[in-house]
């Protein structure tokens, strides 16, 4: 079985400050990890993914994520938050071979001006 | 390249009716997956189609069905609608099999279904 936990329902950060959205996972074997963002009344937009290699993955809109195998985490980060980053963020995991993509419950990010 | 498109965007139905939702994948993508998103259950996988064949199915009743055409476009059908079927239905496409490794799925804007 595979699972994803996003421990925070909501993260509040002031514009210009760094942001972190947390994600931990459980999967057998090597994980494939993804971050998506969802704006109101929209579908999910792909931000970045980890397959193998460098533990720091860079993605769209200045976001990056750090893979930590020992802590089974894949936290999403951005050095300087924008008000327009306010949205719902989903972490997802898939194990090797053929399996479905399992999503976390989502974390609402609110960036205040 | 155009993204994933879904029609209709909004739909209101009554209990007992049936509904068909449509999804056009990104050009060249051969896999289409469907997800149901609700506030309570989050994102749940419905099924994946690749080359007109259902490759995987989630834990949903048989009232939920789908198909894929030779041009990779997909339709999802829900028969005998229940109140609990009210949700945002998302379609996602990928170049190869969606369930393999680092394959990235690209999502459409969704169809919001309200069952009264």
């Amino acid at each position: 079985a595979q699972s994803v936990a996003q421990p925070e329902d909501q993260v509040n950060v002031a514009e210009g400050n760094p942001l972190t959205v947390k994600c931990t996972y459980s999967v057998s074997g090597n994980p494939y990890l993804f971050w998506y963002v969802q704006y109101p009344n929209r579908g999910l937009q792909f931000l970045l993914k980890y397959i193998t290699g460098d533990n720091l993955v860079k993605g769209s809109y200045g976001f990056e994520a750090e893979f930590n195998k020992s802590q089974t985490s894949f936290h999403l980060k951005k050095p300087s938050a924008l008000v327009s980053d306010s949205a719902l963020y989903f972490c997802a995991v898939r194990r090797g071979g053929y399996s479905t993509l399992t999503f976390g419950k989502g974390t609402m990010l609110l960036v205040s001006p | 390249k155009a993204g994933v498109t879904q029609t209709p965007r909004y739909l209101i139905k009554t209990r007992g009716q049936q509904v068909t939702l449509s999804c056009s994948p990104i050009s060249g993508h051969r896999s289409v997956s469907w997800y149901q998103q609700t506030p309570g259950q989050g994102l749940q996988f419905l099924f994946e189609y690749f080359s007109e064949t259902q490759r995987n199915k989630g834990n949903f009743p048989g009232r939920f069905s789908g198909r894929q055409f030779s041009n990779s476009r997909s339709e999802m059908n829900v028969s005998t609608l229940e109140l609990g079927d009210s949700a945002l239905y998302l379609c996602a496409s990928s170049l190869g099999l969606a369930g393999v490794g680092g394959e990235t799925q690209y999502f459409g804007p969704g169809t919001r279904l309200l069952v009264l």
Side-chain angles (χ1 to χ4, degrees), chain B residues 25 29-32 48-56 66-75 97:
Chain B
H29 284 196
R30 296 172 63 191
S31 169
V32 173
E48 178 191 4
Y49 285 87
F50 183 86
S51 293
E52 303 176 66
T53 302
Q54 187 180 89
R55 300 297 176 134
N56 198 2
R67 59 178 175 168
Q68 186 181 34
F69 302 95
S70 58
N71 62 358
S72 294
R73 191 177 69 84
S74 176
E75 289 182 346
L97 273 171

Side-chain angles (χ1 to χ4, degrees), chain B residues 18-98:
Chain B
Q18 76 164 16
V19 66
T20 299
L21 312 182
S22 181
C23 172
S24 292
I26 293 171
S27 178
H29 284 196
R30 296 172 63 191
S31 169
V32 173
S33 298
W34 289 88
Y35 292 83
Q36 181 194 67
Q37 185 179 20
T38 59
Q41 298 299 316
L43 279 152
Q44 292 186 286
F45 171 76
L46 279 156
F47 27 66
E48 178 191 4
Y49 285 87
F50 183 86
S51 293
E52 303 176 66
T53 302
Q54 187 180 89
R55 300 297 176 134
N56 198 2
K57 190 177 191 307
N59 190 23
F60 278 83
R63 300 185 297 106
F64 291 81
S65 63
R67 59 178 175 168
Q68 186 181 34
F69 302 95
S70 58
N71 62 358
S72 294
R73 191 177 69 84
S74 176
E75 289 182 346
M76 189 190 96
N77 184 276
V78 187
S79 62
T80 320
L81 283 166
E82 300 177 359
L83 296 179
D85 297 333
S86 294
L88 181 66
Y89 290 88
L90 294 164
C91 164
S93 77
S94 58
L95 204 57
L97 273 171

Side-chain angles (χ1 to χ4, degrees), chain A residues 35-111:
Chain A
W35 275 103
Y36 286 86
V37 60
Q38 185 176 33
Y39 295 96
N41 299 316
R42 303 280 294 276
L44 276 65
Q45 292 180 33
F46 169 72
L47 282 178
L48 51 82
K49 68 180 177 183
Y50 172 82
I51 300 177
T52 187
D54 196 349
N55 289 343
L56 187 63
V57 179
K58 294 190 182 296
S60 307
Y61 313 119
F63 284 94
E64 57 189 28
E66 187 169 10
F67 171 66
N68 187 315
K69 188 172 184 178
S70 62
Q71 296 186 2
T72 61
S73 67
F74 189 55
H75 300 332
L76 182 69
K77 301 182 180 186
K78 188 174 182 182
S80 179
L82 299 172
V83 172
S84 57
D85 292 330
S86 298
L88 187 58
Y89 290 80
F90 290 94
C91 180
V93 69
R94 180 190 293 136
R95 61 170 172 76
Y98 181 86
S99 72
T100 58
L101 195 58
T102 299
F103 286 86
K105 291 289 187 185
T107 298
M108 179 64 70
L109 173 67
L110 293 176
V111 182

